[in-house]
Amino acid sequence: MDKYLNEGIIGNKSMLVTFSEKGELLRLSYPNRDNRQYFRYFHTGVKINDSCLINLHEDINNQYLQYYDTNTNILNTEITNTYFNLKILQTDFVTIKEDILVKKYTFINENNIDLDVKFLIHSELLSDQNNFVSGMKIDTGMVQYAHDFSVATFSKSTKLLNHQINDSRSTIGSGVIGGKDYIGMSKDSSISYDIGVIKPEEKKELIICIAIDENKKTMQLFEDEIERIRKIDFNKEYLDTKSYWRKYVKTHNGLNLKEPENSYEEKIQDIYIRTILLFPLLMNEKTGGIIAAPEVDENLTQCGRYAYCWPRDAVFITKALDILNMKSETENFYNIFCKITQSKNGMWEQRFYTDGKLAPSWGYQIDETASVVYGIYAHYEYVKNEEFLKSNLHMCEKAIDFLKRYVRDVIDKTGNFHVSYDLWEMHEGIHLYSLVAIFGAFESMLKIYKALGKNVSDFENNRLKDEKINKNINEITQLQVEIKKYIEENMYDEERKTYLRNLEDNRIDISLLGAVYPFRVFSPKEKRVLNTVENINLRLRTYTGGYQRFEYDHYRGGAPWPIANLWMTLYYLENGEKKKAKESFDFVLKTAGKHSLLGEQIDNNTLKPNWVIGLGWSHAMFIIVLEKMMNIGTMLIVAHRLSTIQHADNIIVLSNGKIVEQGNHHELLQKHGRYYQLYTLQYHREQMKSARA
């Protein structure tokens, strides 16, 4: 199974868990979102009448239905085995007050005969200690352990039937558990429980808990902890968890979306709510670090992990957090995480663990540093808190000093700096997006000085003098002029009529739109920008309506990216092209994952996410777009009084959830169709009402 294609994501402030669309536990992270990952696999099965084995997540006779409890991070997977007519409802949630994964199984016999049921679990741990992992049987389950951690998988009340430590993979496939501890050490172990005979239409329940100790307790103390956990009322924990998340959604409904009235609005709302529920699962509450996505490839077979914090990704996410009334989370990122991760020279490296430690990388990206400065002022625009700017002024100035040196090196061609990777981390060079990001950082720095005004030299024992500030302002302003001049003279192809992604690569790139949004170096209506957008549509738009990142993108077949479509949406909104904006936006709506989670890429054939589901950057761009659409009145207006939408650019007529007509008011009247009938009917009713009055 492809571990990147998780469909379900749950967790609390410390634990993050992902699942397949069939309910298989894929990954569990604790105590941070990125470290450590504990399970290589966690397989479950049911043995019927001591003969036939049903693999819960792969059996050919199984039918699956998966859904969240409404407005929560509680995941349900219904597994119906059509051969035995046995239904298993698997409910997974992480308790809010305790760091415990609860897996509740309800067995329902829909057959007309008795079924004797046994439940099996086979798990293998991840460890960087080779095979120095083993297990220990306890009354209600198993403790698997290495030197620096222990994982307990146990039931609340059901005694263990059988167990096998070491080399159980070869036996459990047939439903056999050895019933002994083999000599040696192994990452895999198996356990089983006797559910008993389930009569027709009868239900039985099994609650499995997973708890982790990070080398803080002796085994005896950990066993005591397990016994304490077993006494918890998990029905109450379930209700408390449900209540917590539903309240969380209400608290963070920053855009005040109302109840949807049609399927189009429902899809927007579903992604919106899932975004609200996803973001806290990506964040380290203590440091403010935010991972890109809940995905890890331990063997580096694909891309080498997404569960790191890229400052650039995090900045886009913080903009969305502000929109969703998560401003304290935004400030944790800047006030804590960015301060502990900034290098002495003022820059931020490519990526980090959420605890602030440097993560493996393959170079540096200048836009990471520029984005942080931009993000700090962007947050200030939401909160208008001078103290926030003051507390981060020194950090911003260090970053700006680094960026000034980089720009001067580019312009003067001194060769003192190694060329940066682009934002896609694919190519080294001097990139247009990198330069406009720096321009945006410079602009943000000027705005920070302006916002602080005289106060800027009045704190920290008058550390900053006006002359120093004025010198910095003059340098920044001059460099902005030089950046624009450099781009115009070196990074526009007159023959192809487009801006270039970098000096040595003339491919069209969606990130060229960064010059319009978010960094506003150019107006969306400038001729060169319009030419570039025309080329983007010609060369990057696929037959499905999705946009690629850049020409000849071979990464996973060059599939469209939701980010690219949302970027195009933002451009069209900036340019006042509402119809085109909606077309680009609608592609994202129709390609969202099963639970309205957005991926990194979309398969052009299936129109489903084919890579990294639950990408924070995609969800952030969705929220940013949604806010802008609402602010400029582009959101769909649902109306039963047709007089309220006569001046709309595009009117969609729905009947039984299907689009039957589309166009502006005059176009639809000329068709003499459904809209004409409704409008004529309402017009006559209103005339009669007026006459009575």
Side-chain angles (χ1 to χ4, degrees):
M1 178 165 296
D2 195 336
K3 301 291 186 180
Y4 283 82
L5 293 182
N6 57 262
E7 286 286 354
I9 307 170
I10 65 173
N12 64 4
K13 294 179 180 179
S14 302
M15 187 175 284
L16 176 66
V17 193
T18 63
F19 296 87
S20 75
E21 63 180 351
K22 296 180 178 179
E24 181 184 349
L25 191 160
L26 299 180
R27 291 288 180 264
L28 185 150
S29 301
Y30 178 82
N32 299 322
R33 305 328 194 173
D34 49 5
N35 190 46
R36 145 189 343 246
Q37 301 277 324
Y38 288 92
F39 288 104
R40 187 176 298 280
Y41 58 77
F42 188 92
H43 294 164
T44 53
V46 172
K47 198 170 185 179
I48 306 295
N49 300 334
D50 285 325
S51 59
C52 297
L53 178 69
I54 302 172
N55 187 319
L56 259 58
H57 312 298
E58 292 182 6
D59 197 285
I60 193 172
N61 295 307
N62 287 351
Q63 295 178 347
Y64 299 91
L65 176 65
Q66 191 176 71
Y67 53 91
Y68 282 95
D69 280 8
T70 304
N71 293 0
T72 74
N73 281 319
I74 299 173
L75 186 68
N76 301 286
T77 309
E78 291 183 11
I79 306 159
T80 301
N81 184 268
T82 57
Y83 186 84
F84 286 102
N85 289 325
L86 176 67
K87 178 182 285 186
I88 302 162
L89 173 59
Q90 174 185 316
T91 299
D92 293 283
F93 66 96
V94 179
T95 58
I96 298 302
K97 298 177 183 177
E98 312 247 9
D99 297 325
I100 303 166
L101 171 61
V102 180
K103 300 178 66 64
K104 179 181 177 182
Y105 298 90
T106 304
F107 304 89
I108 307 167
N109 185 357
E110 296 181 339
N111 210 321
N112 55 10
I113 61 171
D114 293 353
L115 296 177
D116 188 5
V117 177
K118 294 180 176 59
F119 187 76
L120 294 76
I121 300 174
H122 180 216
S123 62
E124 181 176 308
L125 298 189
L126 284 169
S127 174
D128 54 6
Q129 300 178 39
N130 297 316
N131 286 325
F132 293 107
V133 180
S134 194
M136 181 183 75
K137 170 184 173 293
I138 57 176
D139 286 345
T140 59
M142 175 77 67
V143 177
Q144 294 167 279
Y145 59 91
H147 179 255
D148 56 348
F149 69 89
S150 299
V151 179
T153 303
F154 57 97
S155 75
K156 173 173 170 55
S157 56
T158 307
K159 296 291 185 180
L160 196 67
L161 175 65
N162 216 337
H163 76 284
Q164 179 175 333
I165 300 171
N166 194 7
D167 197 30
S168 62
R169 182 187 294 221
S170 60
T171 55
I172 196 166
S174 59
V176 176
I177 295 179
K180 60 181 179 179
D181 301 347
Y182 285 89
I183 297 173
M185 292 170 286
S186 177
K187 299 177 184 179
D188 76 314
S189 297
S190 299
I191 54 178
S192 65
Y193 299 90
D194 188 2
I195 307 303
V197 174
I198 308 176
K199 297 183 178 300
E201 299 184 7
E202 185 183 8
K203 297 180 181 180
K204 287 195 175 183
E205 186 178 282
L206 173 68
I207 294 178
I208 297 294
C209 301
I210 297 177
I212 296 169
D213 176 66
E214 306 171 80
N215 200 29
K216 295 178 180 178
K217 297 181 176 70
T218 63
M219 189 57 69
Q220 185 177 26
L221 290 174
F222 191 37
E223 287 186 81
D224 290 342
E225 175 71 3
I226 292 168
E227 289 304 307
R228 182 191 70 80
I229 292 172
R230 290 182 60 210
K231 296 175 183 177
I232 294 174
D233 183 349
F234 286 109
N235 289 322
K236 182 178 183 303
E237 290 298 316
Y238 167 79
L239 294 174
D240 288 349
T241 303
K242 181 186 290 188
S243 176
Y244 173 87
W245 288 117
R246 288 181 174 175
K247 184 179 179 181
Y248 190 91
V249 169
K250 287 182 180 179
T251 302
H252 297 295
N253 181 14
L255 293 175
N256 295 314
L257 289 194
K258 308 303 181 184
E259 285 298 314
E261 298 189 23
N262 54 59
S263 58
Y264 185 85
E265 286 189 340
E266 282 178 4
K267 192 61 185 177
I268 292 173
Q269 176 118 325
D270 288 346
I271 300 174
Y272 176 71
I273 290 174
R274 190 48 49 192
T275 302
I276 293 173
L277 292 164
L278 172 68
F279 281 163
L281 305 184
L282 304 181
M283 297 184 288
N284 184 317
E285 188 181 46
K286 295 179 181 178
T287 68
I290 309 169
I291 62 171
E295 302 291 353
V296 172
D297 179 13
E298 299 82 8
N299 297 320
L300 307 183
T301 58
Q302 301 291 340
C303 63
R305 294 178 172 250
Y306 280 71
Y308 294 120
C309 180
W310 278 258
R312 185 267 327 289
D313 291 47
V315 166
F316 278 98
I317 293 171
T318 61
K319 285 178 68 69
L321 293 177
D322 282 338
I323 296 168
L324 298 173
N325 293 328
M326 301 182 193
K327 296 178 178 62
S328 61
E329 289 86 343
T330 293
E331 295 198 357
N332 280 346
F333 172 72
Y334 293 113
N335 291 339
I336 303 174
F337 186 83
C338 290
K339 285 182 178 170
I340 63 176
T341 55
Q342 188 178 30
S343 300
K344 286 186 177 181
N345 64 4
M347 70 173 290
W348 281 273
E349 295 286 354
Q350 185 187 72
R351 59 188 190 177
F352 302 84
Y353 293 101
T354 61
D355 60 8
K357 293 183 175 65
L358 192 62
S361 64
W362 45 89
Y364 85 99
Q365 297 166 244
I366 198 70
D367 67 287
E368 305 279 1
T369 302
S371 295
V372 173
V373 181
Y374 165 81
I376 285 172
Y377 185 77
H379 175 63
Y380 170 78
E381 287 186 308
Y382 275 94
V383 297
K384 301 297 182 184
N385 181 2
E386 286 188 5
E387 292 304 315
F388 171 75
L389 289 184
K390 287 181 180 180
S391 66
N392 289 292
L393 179 62
H394 181 59
M395 180 174 71
C396 288
E397 288 181 321
K398 283 177 62 180
I400 290 297
D401 284 343
F402 175 80
L403 295 173
K404 286 192 297 185
R405 293 195 299 273
Y406 178 87
V407 172
R408 183 52 59 195
D409 179 66
V410 168
I411 293 171
D412 296 341
K413 301 178 181 179
T414 60
N416 293 326
F417 279 83
H418 187 65
V419 291
S420 165
Y421 273 95
D422 64 344
L423 82 162
W424 308 121
E425 299 164 356
M426 300 286 290
H427 306 93
E428 290 182 298
I430 298 169
H431 310 283
L432 186 143
Y433 182 86
S434 300
L435 291 176
V436 298
I438 295 170
F439 184 100
F442 287 166
E443 187 67 22
S444 295
M445 191 72 242
L446 295 176
K447 290 177 178 178
I448 289 171
Y449 282 139
K450 185 177 180 180
L452 291 174
K454 292 182 180 180
N455 293 330
V456 75
S457 58
D458 293 339
F459 69 98
E460 293 185 7
N461 297 318
N462 209 24
R463 175 181 59 82
L464 294 173
K465 301 294 184 182
D466 288 340
E467 56 267 26
K468 180 183 176 181
I469 297 168
N470 290 332
K471 180 182 177 184
N472 204 21
I473 290 172
N474 291 334
E475 288 178 355
I476 290 170
T477 305
Q478 180 59 35
L479 284 173
Q480 284 185 303
V481 173
E482 294 188 43
I483 289 173
K484 288 190 72 170
K485 182 181 178 183
Y486 183 89
I487 291 173
E488 295 288 20
E489 292 180 353
N490 298 280
M491 307 189 82
Y492 187 80
D493 188 331
E494 288 287 356
E495 184 177 344
R496 297 186 73 193
K497 303 297 182 185
T498 182
Y499 283 108
L500 306 176
R501 65 201 304 259
N502 65 47
L503 288 182
E504 299 177 353
D505 188 344
N506 67 354
R507 283 180 287 179
I508 308 300
D509 192 313
I510 202 76
S511 70
L512 298 173
L513 297 176
V516 176
Y517 183 92
F519 302 119
R520 305 189 186 283
V521 180
F522 302 121
S523 161
K525 297 184 181 296
E526 291 184 34
K527 182 64 176 175
R528 287 187 168 186
V529 173
L530 292 171
N531 289 341
T532 301
V533 171
E534 186 176 343
N535 271 285
I536 287 174
N537 277 306
L538 180 65
R539 302 178 186 279
L540 300 186
R541 195 174 189 271
T542 69
Y543 66 92
T544 61
Y547 288 87
Q548 299 173 300
R549 292 182 300 174
F550 50 81
E551 283 183 284
Y552 315 118
D553 182 7
H554 300 299
Y555 181 62
R556 299 195 64 80
W561 286 50
I563 290 170
N565 271 72
L566 292 166
W567 222 331
M568 284 300 299
T569 305
L570 284 165
Y571 168 78
Y572 284 131
L573 292 174
E574 290 278 335
N575 203 36
E577 298 179 84
K578 298 177 184 179
K579 186 176 181 180
K580 290 182 178 180
K582 184 180 180 302
E583 289 175 358
S584 185
F585 181 69
D586 285 355
F587 176 84
V588 179
L589 295 186
K590 70 181 180 183
T591 58
K594 182 175 184 163
H595 302 302
S596 298
L597 286 163
L598 302 179
E600 183 181 64
Q601 289 180 278
I602 302 298
D603 187 298
N604 250 332
N605 296 316
T606 65
L607 294 184
K608 295 180 179 179
N610 72 347
W611 198 238
V612 186
I613 298 174
L615 188 74
W617 192 1
S618 295
H619 281 270
M621 291 287 277
F622 179 86
I623 297 298
I624 294 167
V625 166
L626 205 55
E627 181 195 44
K628 192 169 186 66
M629 291 174 79
M630 295 183 70
N631 286 342
I632 66 172
T634 307
M635 275 293 292
L636 182 70
I637 301 170
V638 179
H640 299 289
R641 289 176 59 91
L642 300 186
S643 59
T644 63
I645 58 171
Q646 288 184 39
H647 302 291
D649 295 314
N650 191 43
I651 299 170
I652 301 171
V653 184
L654 297 168
S655 180
N656 296 321
K658 296 182 178 179
I659 297 175
V660 295
E661 289 181 323
Q662 189 172 174
N664 62 39
H665 175 70
H666 297 291
E667 290 170 345
L668 293 174
L669 287 180
Q670 290 174 1
K671 290 181 179 180
H672 286 260
R674 185 61 175 156
Y675 180 85
Y676 175 85
Q677 295 171 357
L678 291 170
Y679 181 80
T680 304
L681 181 62
Q682 286 195 11
Y683 177 80
H684 287 305
R685 284 177 178 173
E686 289 174 5
Q687 289 296 312
M688 292 175 65
K689 189 175 180 181
S690 298
R692 291 193 197 102

